[in-house]
Amino acid sequence: MNITPNNRRLAPIAAATALLALLAACGGGGADAGAPANGVTQSDAQSMSANSAVLPADSVEGQASILSTTRAVVASGTASQTVNCAGGGTAVFTVSGGSAGSLGNGQLDAGEIYSVSYANCTGAAGAATLNGSATLTVVTASGGTTQVNTATQNLQIALPLRTLTVNGSSTLTETVADNGGGVIVTTHRWTSPQIVLTSVRNARTSTFTLSNVDQTRAITTTNGVISARSRSGTITIDAQLPNGSWTVTTATQGAVSYDANGVPTQGAWTITLPHNIIGISVVPGTLTVTVDWGADGTPDRTWTFTNAQVGSEAG
């Protein structure tokens, strides 16, 4: 990102986020004191770190919801007929490709192409609710691995913290491993050259163009109860927000852990900009952000935010 006077300083943060705990590195100063002309400010850093923490995880969750909801619709219904979704709402699908033996068997099989229209469709109680259309081309469906190519057209996905509208194409690979003792690990790898998301949260609308997407999410369940969530990978995010705009490339260092609402609880990742490097580390309840102006290897500022503030700022 080339930060200019027009987009470098974001509009003032809402009152709830004005109470951020601020630690000034290298001898102190205000939130933006001493920032060079192309340096990331405290408000930039908060917005970038919050959205890079939450948006990739929610995006993978949305894609996984498309697969799980479609699988449930196909299992319980018949092509070209209205299907009642398990958690509420309805859906209609058509299917082509595959083989004469696989079509109509109530499951996804390699070579099949599903065109689905969802109307407030929830695949299971408590799952995301889908509205709109998607096409799923099944690449692989055997041995605990399912891979689908998805294309979405203004598909709305209602998640716990925001509603995403998704436009574009991507590939999702799901692997389910039974580790014994009631422990099952479900892993989703999501890749896309480019996909556009519109996020609506608390009447605030933001648009994100995601490119060079390669994200992996793992969910561990123990005796049917989720016991761990994590995410890793790289992504470039171009954000058009109500109070500013920016473009960043972010990569995790190992896996980042998340709570049930998709807020990070443990881990680290890096945001790379042309003239700045932002490092983010998370421990339960706190997110710490360091900014290296000039990308010379020496942090120039450090800020700390609560996880609640991160969740509130994102999207």
Side-chain angles (χ1 to χ4, degrees):
M1 179 179 76
N2 185 12
I3 305 175
T4 67
N6 290 330
N7 68 9
R8 184 173 68 85
R9 296 183 179 274
L10 304 183
I13 305 299
T17 59
L19 301 176
L20 298 173
L22 173 64
L23 301 177
C26 303
D32 298 336
N38 58 5
V40 172
T41 64
Q42 180 265 338
S43 51
D44 290 333
Q46 183 189 359
S47 177
M48 292 174 183
S49 59
N51 282 287
S52 68
V54 175
L55 190 67
D58 275 359
S59 298
V60 180
E61 173 68 22
Q63 293 294 318
S65 296
I66 296 172
L67 174 57
S68 62
T69 300
T70 301
R71 182 184 282 131
V73 167
V74 170
S76 63
T78 302
S80 302
Q81 296 185 14
T82 300
V83 179
N84 291 321
C85 302
T90 60
V92 176
F93 72 91
T94 60
V95 58
S96 60
S99 64
S102 69
L103 292 174
N105 66 358
Q107 63 185 32
L108 307 184
D109 295 288
E112 295 175 344
I113 302 171
Y114 291 87
S115 296
V116 192
S117 294
Y118 314 89
N120 293 315
C121 176
T122 304
T129 299
L130 276 57
N131 273 288
S133 301
T135 300
L136 287 78
T137 300
V138 185
V139 179
T140 302
S142 64
T145 298
T146 303
Q147 183 179 88
V148 294
N149 294 327
T150 64
T152 54
Q153 305 85 35
N154 293 321
L155 177 64
Q156 293 183 343
I157 306 172
L159 298 170
L161 294 181
R162 61 187 48 78
T163 295
L164 297 178
T165 300
V166 186
N167 283 282
S169 300
S170 63
T171 298
L172 182 74
T173 304
E174 177 187 82
T175 303
V176 180
D178 188 341
N179 291 348
V183 177
I184 295 176
V185 179
T186 302
T187 303
H188 293 102
R189 184 183 180 192
W190 179 49
T191 60
S192 175
Q194 181 171 293
I195 199 162
V196 179
L197 306 179
T198 301
S199 170
V200 178
R201 174 176 176 164
N202 298 331
R204 180 176 64 198
T205 301
S206 303
T207 300
F208 302 91
T209 300
L210 310 182
S211 56
N212 302 316
V213 178
D214 191 345
Q215 294 287 307
T216 298
R217 182 195 67 166
I219 293 182
T220 301
T221 58
T222 303
N223 297 321
V225 178
I226 295 177
S227 53
R229 302 171 185 255
S230 66
R231 176 190 65 86
S232 61
T234 60
I235 192 170
T236 296
I237 305 172
D238 179 89
Q240 302 296 321
L241 309 175
N243 55 355
S245 61
W246 41 258
T247 300
V248 302
T249 296
T250 178
T252 59
Q253 280 76 65
V256 178
S257 299
Y258 287 78
D259 66 15
N261 289 321
V263 176
T265 57
Q266 192 83 38
W269 63 98
T270 300
I271 293 173
T272 303
L273 299 161
H275 305 288
N276 304 264
I277 299 293
I278 302 176
I280 302 106
S281 61
V282 179
V283 297
T286 303
L287 183 146
T288 300
V289 178
T290 62
V291 177
D292 174 5
W293 293 328
D296 58 5
T298 302
D300 296 286
R301 287 290 185 273
T302 301
W303 297 290
T304 61
F305 311 123
T306 68
N307 280 4
Q309 290 163 335
V310 169
S312 175
E313 175 71 10

